[in-house]
Amino acid sequence: MGAYLDALGLDVWNATKTGYTGALTPEQQKWNAKARNAIIECISDDVFARIDNIDLAHDMWLQLIQLHEGSFKVCE
């Protein structure tokens, strides 16, 4: 997923991985919206229901990590 977001643009990946603090500039709003859209396109309806109320791509990313953390342990 990180590679996909990075391929959309370094600013899209940075909006997801690092995020922004304070009020977003118009440019930051654009990158955040692109990142949110890409994340939403790649998740299931069940997962979407858990993160649809989150406004920042970075916060969505953190929530997705938390939701799927157990999956990695199961794979081991």
Side-chain angles (χ1 to χ4, degrees):
M1 185 70 187
Y4 174 67
L5 292 167
D6 193 23
L8 294 176
L10 184 58
D11 290 321
V12 174
W13 177 232
N14 286 337
T16 306
K17 185 177 180 187
T18 310
Y20 305 115
T21 57
L24 301 182
T25 66
E27 191 73 11
Q28 290 172 331
Q29 289 175 352
K30 178 176 87 172
W31 298 123
N32 184 66
K34 286 185 177 196
R36 287 184 77 242
N37 183 60
I39 291 169
I40 289 168
E41 286 179 349
C42 296
I43 59 175
S44 68
D45 291 339
D46 293 337
V47 175
F48 174 74
R50 294 177 177 204
I51 66 168
D52 68 335
N53 62 336
I54 300 174
D55 293 328
L56 295 175
H58 178 67
D59 293 341
M60 286 179 135
W61 187 252
L62 294 176
Q63 183 65 30
L64 288 171
I65 290 170
Q66 186 175 13
L67 288 170
H68 291 85
E69 210 168 50
S71 299
F72 295 113
K73 292 177 184 174
V74 171
C75 290
E76 293 174 357

